[in-house]
Amino acid sequence: MMDTDHRSFLTPVSYRLASMSDHPSSSKPLSYRDAGVDIDAGDALVRTTGPHAARTRRPGAGGAIENAIVALLQNNIPTKNLDNDHNIKNIIEELIRWYSPLQFFQRWVLEETEISGIKLPKFSKIAILLGSANRDGEAFEDPEEINFQRSNLNHTSFGGGVHYCLGAHLARLELEVSFKNLFQNNISLNEEPERTGAFGIRGFKEINVSIN
């Protein structure tokens, strides 16, 4: 079992970010250096289950962390001190926009309406494509590019209106604490990750990375 002392994370190791379904009771709390607290294994955002393993939750903040790391590495963006080069809050919003874990919601039309010339009959069922909206060229300049200097951070990853995610503030806090720890290291992919294949939740079965 990996030592909970944060010094153990300074040694080059291989991490496997995956679901927390396997042997959760064998986990120990992970020490967050910047936060200065130990998070209990039952509530840990990231936990260790073996000598080279760290596991994250899905599909919320854990899935967002996995997607963010893959997005950075596949776009050749170094992780080391990334939060020193850019505002951490901008990093969070841009990575959530670029690689939203939740891709769509289904909703019912309560009153007949028309959007962009398309008539939506009353009681019809529609799908709101959040991931597509986050890559809308009319809303975001160069939407396929990861840009931490964007002026428009108004993505749809947390939904909107009465359906806006109640846990958005907690998710942002979890991401900030996690990223500030992860960005103290150089991270690289050991192998190309395999997608889960799920339609609504965009993510990976696991990601295998080295942290130095």
Side-chain angles (χ1 to χ4, degrees):
M1 185 67 64
M2 186 181 293
D3 191 288
T4 57
D5 190 316
H6 71 261
R7 289 189 297 270
S8 64
F9 289 91
L10 301 180
T11 305
V13 294
S14 174
Y15 282 79
R16 184 171 296 273
L17 302 182
S19 67
M20 298 177 66
S21 59
D22 299 329
H23 311 297
S25 60
S26 65
S27 303
K28 288 185 178 180
L30 174 69
S31 175
Y32 283 98
R33 294 190 292 257
D34 291 341
V37 297
D38 285 337
I39 298 179
D40 181 75
D43 296 319
L45 174 65
V46 181
R47 60 167 70 175
T48 60
T49 57
H52 303 303
R55 294 180 178 266
T56 66
R57 289 183 178 177
R58 288 197 187 93
I65 292 171
E66 294 180 4
N67 288 355
I69 294 301
V70 172
L72 292 172
L73 300 183
Q74 290 184 336
N75 285 273
N76 299 314
I77 299 175
T79 58
K80 179 78 170 181
N81 296 325
L82 184 62
D83 54 325
N84 291 340
D85 299 330
H86 304 282
N87 184 294
I88 186 64
K89 299 187 185 302
N90 288 7
I91 293 174
I92 291 170
E93 300 305 320
E94 177 65 352
L95 290 176
I96 292 176
R97 177 199 72 82
W98 199 86
Y99 223 146
S100 175
L102 183 61
Q103 289 291 299
F104 81 100
F105 267 122
Q106 291 182 325
R107 292 288 181 260
W108 293 97
V109 179
L110 299 182
E111 297 292 341
E112 182 175 341
T113 187
E114 183 175 315
I115 299 178
S116 299
I118 299 176
K119 293 184 178 181
L120 303 176
K122 186 176 182 178
F123 298 143
S124 60
K125 192 176 184 180
I126 63 173
I128 303 172
L129 303 181
L130 305 179
S132 178
N134 284 340
R135 302 287 186 96
D136 187 348
E138 295 185 8
F140 302 97
E141 183 178 356
D142 298 321
E144 301 298 326
E145 176 185 337
I146 295 178
N147 179 3
F148 300 127
Q149 305 302 323
R150 287 189 186 279
S151 57
N152 178 17
L153 300 176
N154 190 26
H155 57 74
T156 64
S157 297
F158 289 120
V162 297
H163 298 291
Y164 189 78
C165 177
L166 292 176
H169 294 301
L170 176 59
R172 287 184 170 106
L173 178 60
E174 290 178 333
L175 291 172
E176 183 171 346
V177 171
S178 299
F179 285 162
K180 281 186 175 181
N181 280 273
L182 289 169
F183 292 160
Q184 295 181 36
N185 307 279
N186 289 310
I187 304 176
S188 60
L189 280 174
N190 292 331
E191 59 188 18
E192 284 299 313
E194 181 181 355
R195 297 189 188 280
T196 62
F199 182 63
I201 304 297
R202 189 174 179 84
F204 303 93
K205 293 181 177 180
E206 62 183 20
I207 65 172
N208 190 324
V209 302
S210 291
I211 300 180
N212 300 291

